[in-house]
C-alpha cells in the first residue's frame, strides 16, 4: 500500500508540473505601448516643433514609451516624464500640446537656445507635475502666475532664460515647493512678502543675477533655508535675519547688493560651508565665531564697511587678503596689523 501511495503521489506531482509547464505565462506587468492620448499629444509636440530631427525616434510604428526623451509608468503606460535637452537646432515655442499629457510628473526643457516665446498656459494644466525645468533657453515674458496652480510641484527651475517682470506671489501658495531657481533672468520688483513663508522643510532658493529691489521679506527669517543665493540684485536693508543659531543653512550668497546691517552680533549657523556677503554696505565687525565653523570652505566679506580685527585660529587660515579687502577699517592678518 505504501508503494502504491508513493507512486500515486509521484504521478500527481508530475501531472501538476506538466500542467504548469503547459500553462500560458503570466502577463508582463510592464506596458510596451503608451496611452493613445499620450501618443497623440507627443506627435503633436513633435509637429509643433517642426518635426525636428531630435524627435527622429518618435514614429507611429514604434511604441511611444520607447521614444527618446520619454518616460512611462511601467504599470499604467502613461507618460510621466519628458526631458528634451541639448539641441541648438530645435526651434519654436513651448508647444501647447503638452497639455495633452495629464499624467506628466517631470518636464525638462534644457539647453535649447532657440526655444523662444512665453511659457504657455498649457503648462498650468499639468496638475501632476512635481518637477518643472525650463532653463538655458530664449524663453521670455513673465513668470506666469498660473504656475501657482501646480500644487504637486516640488522643484521649479526657470534659470538662464529671458524672463522679465515680477515674481508672482502665487508661487508662495505651493505647499510642497522646496526648490526654486529663477536666477539669470531679467526679473524686477520686490520679492513677494509671503514668498515661501509657509515652508517647514529645507528650502533651496536661487534668485541671483536679476534686477530685484527692496528688502528681503521678513518672513524669510522663519524659512528653513539650506541653500540661499540672492546675489547680484539691488536688494536693500537688513538681511541678518537670514542667519542665526539653530538654522540649517549651509550656503548663503548675498554678494553685490546694497544690504546694510551690523554683522557684529550675528550668530552664524554651524553647518555653513559657503558665505559670500561681499560688495554690500555691511558694517560692524566679523564675529569671532567664524573661526569655529569647521565646515567653512569659502568666506568673503570684502567691499563692505567692516572694522576691527579679523578673527584668528580655526578655519581662518584658509582665507587670504581677497576675502577681506576694501573694508573701512578691518585689520590683522592677512590685512595689515591693527594699530595699538
Amino acid at each position: 500500500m505504501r508503494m502504491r501511495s508513493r507512486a500515486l503521489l509521484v504521478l500527481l506531482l508530475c501531472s501538476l508540473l506538466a500542467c504548469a509547464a503547459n500553462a500560458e505565462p503570466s502577463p508582463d506587468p510592464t506596458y510596451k505601448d503608451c496611452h493613445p492620448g499620450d501618443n497623440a499629444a507627443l506627435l503633436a509636440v513633435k509637429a509643433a516643433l517642426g518635426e525636428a530631427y531630435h524627435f527622429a525616434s518618435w514614429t507611429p510604428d514604434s511604441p511611444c514609451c520607447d521614444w527618446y526623451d520619454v518616460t512611462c509608468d511601467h504599470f499604467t503606460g502613461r507618460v510621466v516624464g519628458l526631458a528634451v535637452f541639448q539641441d541648438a537646432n530645435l526651434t519654436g515655442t513651448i508647444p501647447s500640446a503638452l497639455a495633452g499629457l495629464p499624467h506628466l510628473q517631470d518636464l525638462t526643457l534644457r539647453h535649447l537656445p532657440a526655444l523662444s516665446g512665453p511659457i504657455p498656459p498649457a503648462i498650468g494644466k499639468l496638475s501632476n507635475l512635481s518637477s518643472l525645468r525650463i532653463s538655458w533657453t530664449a524663453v521670455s515674458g513673465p513668470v506666469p502666475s498660473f504656475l501657482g496652480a501646480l500644487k504637486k510641484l516640488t522643484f521649479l527651475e526657470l534659470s538662464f532664460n529671458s524672463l522679465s517682470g515680477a515674481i508672482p506671489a502665487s508661487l508662495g501658495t505651493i505647499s510642497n515647493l522646496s526648490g526654486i531657481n529663477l536666477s539669470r533672468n531679467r526679473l524686477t520688483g520686490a520679492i513677494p512678502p509671503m514668498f515661501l513663508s509657509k515652508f517647514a522643510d529645507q528650502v533651496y532658493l536661487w534668485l541671483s543675477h536679476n534686477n530685484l529691489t527692496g528688502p528681503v521679506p521678513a518672513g524669510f527669517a522663519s524659512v528653513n533655508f539650506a541653500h540661499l543665493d540672492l546675489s547680484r540684485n539691488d536688494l536693500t536693508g537688513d538681511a541678518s535675519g537670514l542667519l542665526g543659531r539653530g538654522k540649517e543653512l549651509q550656503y548663503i550668497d548675498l554678494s553685490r547688493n546694497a544690504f546694510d546691517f551690523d554683522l557684529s552680533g550675528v550668530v552664524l549657523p554651524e553647518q555653513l560651508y559657503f558665505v559670500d556677503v561681499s560688495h554690500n554696505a555691511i558694517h560692524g565687525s566679523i564675529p569671532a565665531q567664524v573661526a569655529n565653523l569647521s565646515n567653512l570652505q569659502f568666506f568673503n566679506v570684502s567691499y563692505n564697511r567692516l572694522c576691527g580685527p579679523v578673527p584668528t585660529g580655526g578655519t581662518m587660515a584658509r582665507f587670504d587678503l581677497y576675502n577681506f579687502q576694501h573694508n573701512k577699517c578691518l585689520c590683522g592678518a592677512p590685512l595689515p596689523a591693527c594699530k595699538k
Side-chain angles (χ1 to χ4, degrees):
M1 288 294 292
R2 287 185 178 179
M3 293 294 294
R4 184 177 297 177
S5 297
R6 288 180 180 177
L8 287 173
L9 183 59
V10 170
L11 287 172
L12 179 60
L13 288 172
C14 290
S15 176
L16 290 172
L17 289 172
C19 289
N22 292 326
E24 292 186 5
S26 300
D28 188 342
T30 60
Y31 282 73
K32 301 303 181 184
D33 297 322
C34 71
H35 189 276
D38 294 348
N39 185 91
L42 289 170
L43 289 176
V45 168
K46 177 182 178 181
L49 293 172
E51 303 285 336
Y53 179 75
H54 185 95
F55 305 107
S57 68
W58 292 23
T59 60
D61 58 349
S62 63
C64 70
C65 289
D66 292 338
W67 293 354
Y68 186 67
D69 296 340
V70 176
T71 302
C72 289
D73 183 281
H74 289 300
F75 296 99
T76 65
R78 302 308 298 255
V79 173
V80 295
L82 180 61
V84 183
F85 54 92
Q86 290 185 326
D87 191 337
N89 297 316
L90 194 152
T91 61
T93 59
I94 299 174
S96 294
L98 288 168
L101 299 171
H103 292 262
L104 199 63
Q105 299 174 17
D106 188 340
L107 175 60
T108 298
L109 304 173
R110 186 174 174 87
H111 284 287
L112 305 172
L115 187 70
S116 59
I119 298 172
I123 300 298
K125 297 178 181 179
L126 298 173
S127 60
N128 284 301
L129 271 187
S130 61
S131 175
L132 174 61
R133 293 174 172 88
I134 302 172
S135 60
W136 296 87
T137 74
V139 169
S140 58
V143 177
S145 60
F146 59 69
L147 294 181
L150 302 176
K151 299 305 182 185
K152 294 184 179 180
L153 206 62
T154 60
F155 187 82
L156 174 65
E157 180 180 4
L158 301 176
S159 62
F160 289 88
N161 294 301
S162 296
L163 298 170
S164 57
I167 298 172
S170 62
L171 293 183
T173 66
I174 307 175
S175 59
N176 293 317
L177 191 59
S178 59
I180 303 178
N181 189 347
L182 303 179
S183 60
R184 302 273 182 170
N185 280 288
R186 302 170 185 172
L187 301 177
T188 56
I191 302 172
M194 299 301 292
F195 191 56
L196 294 173
S197 62
K198 297 180 180 180
F199 290 93
D201 296 331
Q202 286 191 333
V203 175
Y204 298 78
L205 178 63
W206 297 262
L207 297 178
S208 67
H209 293 79
N210 281 289
N211 299 304
L212 299 172
T213 55
V216 172
F220 271 21
S222 60
V223 176
N224 191 22
F225 287 109
H227 184 117
L228 179 61
D229 188 350
L230 303 178
S231 63
R232 294 179 182 267
N233 283 286
D234 294 310
L235 298 169
T236 57
D238 186 353
S240 62
L242 299 172
L243 302 162
R245 191 185 309 277
K247 293 181 181 289
E248 298 183 33
L249 189 64
Q250 301 169 33
Y251 181 110
I252 185 166
D253 191 345
L254 305 179
S255 63
R256 296 181 184 273
N257 281 284
F259 289 122
D260 185 351
F261 60 90
D262 188 344
L263 189 62
S264 307
V266 173
V267 178
L268 301 174
E270 294 180 355
Q271 299 181 41
L272 278 172
Y273 70 85
F274 184 102
V275 178
D276 191 347
V277 295
S278 64
H279 295 269
N280 282 287
I282 300 171
H283 55 276
S285 59
I286 300 174
Q289 177 220 2
V290 171
N292 300 323
L293 298 177
S294 58
N295 295 328
L296 196 61
Q297 300 296 323
F298 186 91
F299 183 74
N300 191 347
V301 295
S302 64
Y303 292 88
N304 278 290
R305 300 174 184 173
L306 296 169
C307 282
V310 174
T312 58
T315 60
M316 300 310 292
R318 299 173 183 172
F319 312 119
D320 57 22
L321 178 66
Y322 164 81
N323 303 99
F324 306 102
Q325 64 186 348
H326 293 281
N327 272 283
K328 184 178 180 181
C329 47
L330 274 183
C331 58
L335 299 170
C338 297
K339 296 179 180 179
K340 296 182 179 181

